[in-house]
Amino acid sequence: MSFLRAPASVPQVRTLVRGIVGIWEFGELFVQDIELVASELSTNAVRHGVMSSLGCFDVRLVPQPNGLRIEVADAGTGTAVVQPECSPAAEGGRGLLLVNCLCEHWGVDETRDGTVVWAELRADAA
């Protein structure tokens, strides 16, 4: 799925992810985790990513034997880093910390077109 690189796209990502994942009949807690991870990765693509020539970023959901893989791609380069400490008053900086806590694995892959940040969640861990 492609989304405009704009803050208004993040709620759209959550809604579409919830709808698609709901078809696969995962439990509600797992769906909530998926929705949160997709939202955090999409927020990072909007805030820190680079637009494609069309001004978009892409979200891909890949069913796995025991869960789901979420991939968010943009045209930028670079790495995603968990912030070691964040001020309680800070408005951001916790997204990848949440992803790190909720996911079995996550990482960043550089492609010829940019960067893909991916996360794998296990249904039996939710």
Side-chain angles (χ1 to χ4, degrees):
M1 301 170 280
S2 292
F3 297 89
L4 288 177
R5 189 173 163 261
S9 293
V10 176
Q12 293 173 348
V13 169
R14 284 194 303 266
T15 299
L16 284 171
V17 165
R18 175 170 275 284
I20 291 168
V21 172
I23 294 169
W24 292 330
E25 299 181 0
F26 289 118
E28 179 58 25
L29 291 176
F30 186 63
V31 172
Q32 289 174 7
D33 288 351
I34 292 167
E35 192 176 5
L36 178 59
V37 170
S39 178
E40 293 299 336
L41 296 182
S42 297
T43 297
N44 284 349
V46 169
R47 287 188 180 168
H48 308 293
V50 174
M51 288 188 285
S52 68
S53 59
L54 299 175
C56 297
F57 67 95
D58 298 321
V59 177
R60 182 173 179 218
L61 304 175
V62 183
Q64 303 284 301
N66 295 316
L68 185 77
R69 179 179 170 110
I70 302 168
E71 299 175 351
V72 177
D74 64 58
T77 59
T79 60
V81 179
V82 174
Q83 298 297 319
E85 290 189 27
C86 190
S87 162
E91 292 185 21
R94 295 176 190 85
L96 288 178
L97 180 62
L98 287 170
V99 169
N100 193 50
C101 290
L102 291 172
C103 298
E104 183 173 28
H105 305 286
W106 74 275
V108 180
D109 293 333
E110 300 248 351
T111 69
R112 64 179 170 83
D113 297 323
T115 303
V116 176
V117 181
W118 55 270
E120 295 176 347
L121 294 90
R122 288 182 57 97
D124 56 4

